[in-house]
Amino acid sequence: MKRFRTVLLPAVMILLPVLLNGQTSDFSGIKIFINPGHGGHDGDDRHMIATDFWESEGNLTKGLFLRDLLEARNATVYMSRITNYTEDDLSLATIATMANTANADFFLSIHSNGFDGTRNQPLTLFRGYDNSPVFPAAKSFARILWEKLYEKSNCWTHSFEWVKGDWTFYPEWGTEVGLGVLRTLNMPGVLSEGSYHDYIPEGWRLRNGNHLHHEAWAMLRALQQHFDVAVEPSGIIAGTVRDELTAPPYYFGAGTRDQHMPINGATVTLMPLNRTIITDDLNNGFFMFDSLPPGNYEVIVSGMDDFYNDTLSAAVTAGKTTLADFLPSFDTARVPVVVEHMPVTSDSLPFNQSFTFTFNVPMDRLAVQTALIFEPAADVIYEWDDKSRVLTVSPQTGFASKTPYLLRLTTDATSLWDVHLQEEYQVSFVTKSRPKLVIEQVWPAAGATEITLFPRITVRFDAPLDQESASSGIRLLDSQSAPVTKQRELFTSVGGKGSYSFELTAPLQINSSYRIEIDASVKDVVGVATGEAVNATFTTRTKAYQTGYVVETFDNIGAFWDPEASGSTTGTDNPMTTFTASNTIYKTNPPAGRLNYLFTGSGGGVCRVFDTSKPLIGSSTSLLFAMWVYGDLSNNYLEYWFYSPGSVNQIVSAATIDWAGWDLIAIPFSSIGGSGDWQYHSLVVVQHPDGLRSGTMYFDDAMVISPTGIEEQEDDYMELALYPNPLTDEGRISFFLQSGCEVDIDLFSSDGNLTANLFTGTMEAGAHTIPWHPSPAITPGAYTLRLSYRPAGEGVWRQEARRWVVVR
């Protein structure tokens, strides 16, 4: 179908270039030095995982095209690199020397920007203070360039002119330090941050070659105006094709054009020149026609299965870009059809089998669910994709065993525009015989070693559980076969399967054996039992946990951005993916950070939580960075992200999330890329293709640990802790005792000398807290807090616990 729509853009008087006031026709005699920033996918490069964009590649593509544009207009062009290998990543001083040696008239460093994933706007930087540039011509050009960059797009999140002197922009670097690449230039120079590559919609556009070329055209226009070269005699038509009905699954600026999902594979035709572009498959919907003589054109979009063709009228002006964006109308008259259902196999299906139906158009969800009938009747749950085109139907408790079923989708099912299914769609299937409840996973598994002292014991089954039989029939026994007391029991039911998990009221003992015992009487909600007892024996970790200087307590949850606003987050359900404060589950003191996440696809999901405080963690490669992490047994990946100097992102794989409960997850500083004083800034969960799509994790007390500096505690089950740490005024010391005993708490200086005795006395078993207000005699610095105890009836003090604390 084709529907013709004409949108008339404002008419502009078209003037051919006229040479006035000494204006020249080209760049003859002008020498330009182009520096495409970074190079070689090295540590100082920026790789955006969500879009697989490398800044070094984007910078080079812009630079090479700008070179070609300038040389075609008789400029003399020098470049710091023309390829993208490690050897191309020259030092900033070397690049500046190259420009000085070339005696260039102007220096342009090409970059894209990154910060927190929510911003998209141009930034241009010159050497000096905002109102006191070292080269006035550099500030003048920076303002022209910013204007040309801003004019070429309508996808910005911020509109104010952002032109800055580098001394003003980077005051923390020192007085009159600024950007290294501008620092020693003998000519005016500007660093261009054309857009933000970590803003995901822009990151996808930066994967498009035409989009990168469009930025080079903007730079050419700025250079023409700066050097008083005649206005470019041709113009550009550029724009995007988007689906107005669909919002992207990643973050976008509210109210911007990016709130609509780009359409891949649309054919855009320019008439009367009959030039054609097909939008790529990289989620940007971008098209551009350049070098167009001034005049009036028609732009036609077609070739979209679900949309009407559309037409815009556009007037081209010399030296300008005309923006032409399409929001084609959905073909609402299409008859809905089931194009696929899964599984295709209909015989001997599992009792908890899910069925997926894919439609050719968006459907009325309620109408479809009402029209879906099981014979015999079944209690099912429905899950739709965000476009209302894919429906997954799953049994709430399971289909009957060894039973034939007929699934009917009647003609009462309608599209979103009330067009009915033309004929009934049927699926028949037979379920397998089901003699017993199957245990699919026990964690910790039999034979497992080095298990955390704070586990959430988890048993997963192939069906939802009868809660009473599971709670009484699943237990943890210590080495003396005594049951360990449970707390926070939890039952879950997802996709027709069930699980039971629980925590423990006290930490487990170091290097000790425990046994998970599952009775044969444990049954599911329809009464099918396991039929046999199962035991799984595991051993806890052999070493105590290390302690260190806490750099992030997670107490100020307002310092953390929600995943959808953190940048790089992709493939998640935004309303269901959140980062909030937890005052019920925490490791040291409330609150901890709680991450709920839901991935929407089968792979490629990234869930990032950005910490705006970005604590400095130092530069010594002999240290460890660690964090208490409450795993959810999802088998997804945990990453820690850091900035090395210059806000260069460094990504470190921390662990596969194959545990449940609290564990201290540490990585060596030596695994962090780059050098200098690092900043921790994000925790990230990356979806594993075989991992769970949803989960809940908790995070507490990120710290820097010196493996050889402060001796580890020998018996962590005491849970010795100081809050807050660092301590500036009054704090509290907390610990846990397995039995009644005499207790001594002392403070030692970093050289091992006793500084103060903080408590001596007899205490009962259980959790204890004592206040501590450091006396003026305790000077600011790092100390070791040590707890010693002596059980009743014994004459020897033993099993000390230690914590590294800081007093300010």
Side-chain angles (χ1 to χ4, degrees):
M1 289 187 174
K2 177 175 180 177
R3 191 181 67 170
F4 188 87
R5 178 170 62 94
T6 301
V7 177
L8 293 177
L9 302 180
V12 180
M13 183 175 292
I14 302 171
L15 299 176
L16 295 177
V18 179
L19 306 185
L20 299 172
N21 300 323
Q23 192 177 60
T24 60
S25 60
D26 60 24
F27 288 92
S28 295
I30 298 174
K31 294 183 285 187
I32 309 294
F33 193 97
I34 299 173
N35 163 228
H38 308 291
H41 295 185
D42 290 334
D44 65 344
D45 199 355
R46 282 121 168 134
H47 181 212
M48 298 297 104
I49 294 176
T51 56
D52 196 25
F53 170 76
W54 289 87
E55 188 189 346
S56 62
E57 295 175 359
N59 297 342
L60 182 59
T61 300
K62 298 175 201 173
L64 290 174
F65 193 68
L66 177 60
R67 177 197 63 181
D68 294 345
L69 292 174
L70 287 168
E71 289 182 343
R73 291 153 182 80
N74 292 324
T76 301
V77 180
Y78 304 90
M79 293 188 70
S80 60
R81 66 183 178 98
I82 58 173
T83 54
N84 197 32
Y85 299 103
T86 298
E87 54 267 27
D88 297 314
D89 193 13
L90 305 176
S91 71
L92 302 182
T94 299
I95 295 169
T97 299
M98 293 170 65
N100 291 336
T101 302
N103 196 27
D105 296 299
F106 205 90
F107 177 94
L108 178 59
S109 186
I110 300 174
H111 292 256
S112 55
N113 213 341
F115 178 57
D116 58 25
T118 65
R119 178 184 295 268
N120 190 37
Q121 67 181 129
L123 165 67
T124 55
L125 296 161
F126 57 87
R127 182 154 182 79
Y129 292 111
D130 285 356
N131 297 317
S132 182
V134 172
F135 294 98
K139 178 177 179 179
S140 173
F141 176 80
R143 298 191 68 177
I144 296 170
L145 177 58
W146 186 92
E147 178 184 348
K148 301 303 182 186
L149 291 171
Y150 186 82
E151 287 176 353
K152 77 176 182 66
S153 177
N154 54 15
C155 297
W156 307 117
T157 61
H158 296 71
S159 60
F160 64 87
E161 182 187 82
W162 209 14
V163 178
K164 302 291 290 182
D166 63 345
W167 295 349
T168 303
F169 196 72
Y170 300 106
E172 70 274 16
W173 291 2
T175 303
E176 299 185 359
V177 176
L179 294 164
V181 76
L182 304 180
R183 195 171 299 157
T184 58
L185 292 178
N186 295 332
M187 78 292 297
V190 166
L191 186 143
S192 170
E193 302 275 16
S195 60
Y196 273 77
H197 50 236
D198 64 347
Y199 176 68
I200 292 179
E202 182 71 6
W204 282 120
R205 285 188 285 271
L206 287 168
R207 292 288 309 278
N208 182 285
N210 281 329
H211 180 78
L212 297 170
H213 289 175
H214 197 202
E215 187 168 327
W217 277 107
M219 296 175 188
L220 173 70
R221 293 168 180 169
L223 288 165
Q224 287 172 327
Q225 181 173 332
H226 178 76
F227 284 104
D228 206 17
V229 173
V231 173
E232 189 66 24
S234 64
I236 293 172
I237 295 175
T240 55
V241 185
R242 301 176 185 274
D243 175 1
E244 190 173 18
L245 299 176
T246 305
Y250 42 76
Y251 177 83
F252 53 85
T256 68
R257 294 171 187 265
D258 290 324
Q259 67 186 332
H260 305 305
M261 188 69 188
I263 297 176
N264 295 334
T267 299
V268 186
T269 304
L270 181 70
M271 298 299 290
L273 299 183
N274 200 29
R275 288 170 57 180
T276 297
I277 290 175
I278 298 177
T279 61
D280 62 29
D281 61 352
L282 296 173
N283 305 319
N284 55 73
F286 185 81
F287 65 88
M288 180 187 73
F289 299 101
D290 61 5
S291 303
L292 300 177
N296 295 316
Y297 296 85
E298 282 190 348
V299 190
I300 304 167
V301 63
S302 61
M304 302 165 291
D305 289 341
D306 299 329
F307 300 87
Y308 290 107
N309 297 347
D310 204 355
T311 300
L312 295 174
S313 295
V316 170
T317 304
K320 297 286 186 179
T321 291
T322 299
L323 298 173
D325 290 331
F326 287 96
L327 291 173
S329 298
F330 200 91
D331 185 352
T332 58
R334 295 184 70 188
V335 175
V337 175
V338 178
V339 295
E340 181 183 58
H341 88 265
M342 296 294 290
V344 176
T345 302
S346 61
D347 191 25
S348 298
L349 295 182
F351 79 102
N352 54 6
Q353 177 68 57
S354 294
F355 295 87
T356 300
F357 296 88
T358 302
F359 298 89
N360 63 328
V361 295
M363 301 297 288
D364 182 310
R365 297 185 179 189
L366 181 59
V368 172
Q369 292 169 198
T370 303
L372 197 63
I373 300 170
F374 281 87
E375 298 176 352
D379 185 12
V380 296
I381 55 177
Y382 306 95
E383 181 182 356
W384 290 87
D385 75 328
D386 61 345
K387 293 186 177 182
S388 295
R389 292 176 61 166
V390 180
L391 169 63
T392 300
V393 184
S394 305
Q396 183 75 47
T397 57
F399 298 116
S401 174
K402 207 173 182 180
T403 302
Y405 280 86
L406 176 64
L407 191 161
R408 299 169 48 219
L409 181 62
T410 73
T411 55
D412 289 334
T414 66
S415 72
L416 201 58
W417 298 274
D418 203 32
V419 180
H420 286 256
L421 210 66
Q422 284 194 332
E423 59 183 26
E424 183 170 292
Y425 193 86
Q426 295 187 355
V427 176
S428 59
F429 63 95
V430 179
T431 55
K432 294 179 182 178
S433 173
R434 184 165 175 265
K436 67 176 183 177
L437 174 64
V438 176
I439 300 171
E440 295 191 337
Q441 183 183 21
V442 178
W443 190 87
T449 59
E450 296 296 324
I451 297 300
T452 175
L453 305 183
F454 310 95
R456 170 168 278 278
I457 307 300
T458 304
V459 186
R460 291 174 175 168
F461 298 83
D462 70 341
L465 295 169
D466 171 75
Q467 296 188 9
E468 184 178 352
S469 70
S471 181
S472 61
I474 302 175
R475 64 194 69 86
L476 180 68
L477 306 178
D478 64 18
S479 58
Q480 305 302 313
S481 294
V484 182
T485 306
K486 304 176 186 178
Q487 68 173 349
R488 284 198 280 265
E489 296 177 82
L490 178 65
F491 292 89
T492 63
S493 178
V494 178
K497 299 187 177 186
S499 71
Y500 169 60
S501 64
F502 55 86
E503 296 178 9
L504 310 165
T505 56
L508 301 184
Q509 299 282 345
I510 289 177
N511 197 25
S512 298
S513 177
Y514 291 87
R515 183 171 82 256
I516 301 171
E517 196 171 72
I518 305 169
D519 291 347
S521 59
V522 174
K523 60 186 178 181
D524 64 16
V525 290
V526 297
V528 178
T530 60
E532 59 182 355
V534 173
N535 291 277
T537 300
F538 65 90
T539 306
T540 56
R541 59 184 292 137
T542 56
K543 293 183 178 179
Y545 294 103
Q546 295 176 298
T547 61
Y549 170 62
V550 176
V551 296
E552 176 55 75
T553 63
F554 291 86
D555 290 350
N556 179 19
I557 210 68
F560 298 88
W561 283 359
D562 207 58
E564 66 180 281
S566 290
S568 300
T569 294
T570 185
T572 64
D573 182 308
N574 289 342
M576 301 299 292
T577 302
T578 58
F579 192 74
T580 56
S582 168
N583 290 299
T584 55
I585 296 180
Y586 54 87
K587 181 59 182 68
T588 308
N589 292 282
R594 171 177 172 147
L595 174 63
N596 290 311
Y597 63 90
L598 173 60
F599 293 121
T600 56
S602 59
V606 177
C607 181
R608 176 188 176 197
V609 176
F610 178 68
D611 183 352
T612 61
S613 62
K614 297 178 291 185
L616 281 168
I617 62 172
S619 59
S620 173
T621 55
S622 66
L623 301 176
L624 301 175
F625 177 82
M627 187 185 305
W628 282 103
V629 181
Y630 192 102
D632 59 3
L633 208 62
S634 66
N635 279 316
N636 293 312
Y637 301 122
L638 174 67
E639 295 179 345
Y640 297 149
W641 288 15
F642 305 86
Y643 285 140
S644 54
S647 295
V648 179
N649 199 35
Q650 307 292 349
I651 297 174
V652 181
S653 296
T656 298
I657 308 168
D658 56 3
W659 76 97
W662 288 110
D663 204 355
L664 186 65
I665 306 302
I667 57 104
F669 273 37
S670 58
S671 65
I672 307 174
S675 60
D677 282 332
W678 288 294
Q679 290 176 288
Y680 161 72
H681 69 78
S682 295
L683 58 90
V684 180
V685 176
V686 179
Q687 185 179 13
H688 185 285
D690 297 324
L692 298 182
R693 290 197 183 186
S694 63
T696 300
M697 300 178 66
Y698 301 83
F699 302 86
D700 208 352
D701 280 6
M703 65 189 82
V704 173
I705 295 172
S706 175
T708 58
I710 302 297
E711 185 180 352
E712 297 178 1
Q713 67 183 77
E714 297 174 2
D715 203 347
D716 196 73
Y717 70 76
M718 290 182 182
E719 279 294 274
L720 177 65
L722 169 68
Y723 181 83
N725 187 9
L727 177 67
T728 56
D729 191 4
E730 185 173 0
R732 58 183 184 269
I733 300 168
S734 60
F735 52 93
F736 183 91
L737 298 176
Q738 292 281 5
S739 59
C741 57
E742 293 181 69
V743 174
D744 237 6
I745 300 178
D746 297 308
L747 189 71
F748 290 84
S749 63
S750 58
D751 58 8
N753 292 320
L754 177 64
T755 301
N757 173 259
L758 307 183
F759 178 83
T760 296
T762 300
M763 288 189 159
E764 299 297 324
H768 299 275
T769 300
I770 61 172
W772 177 38
H773 189 292
S775 72
I778 298 177
T779 59
Y783 294 86
T784 300
L785 188 67
R786 189 182 75 181
L787 184 150
S788 302
Y789 74 99
R790 182 168 61 186
E794 295 189 11
V796 179
W797 291 82
R798 60 187 180 89
Q799 292 183 318
E800 301 168 345
R802 294 177 172 83
R803 281 290 179 264
W804 184 13
V805 301
V806 175
V807 178
R808 289 178 174 172

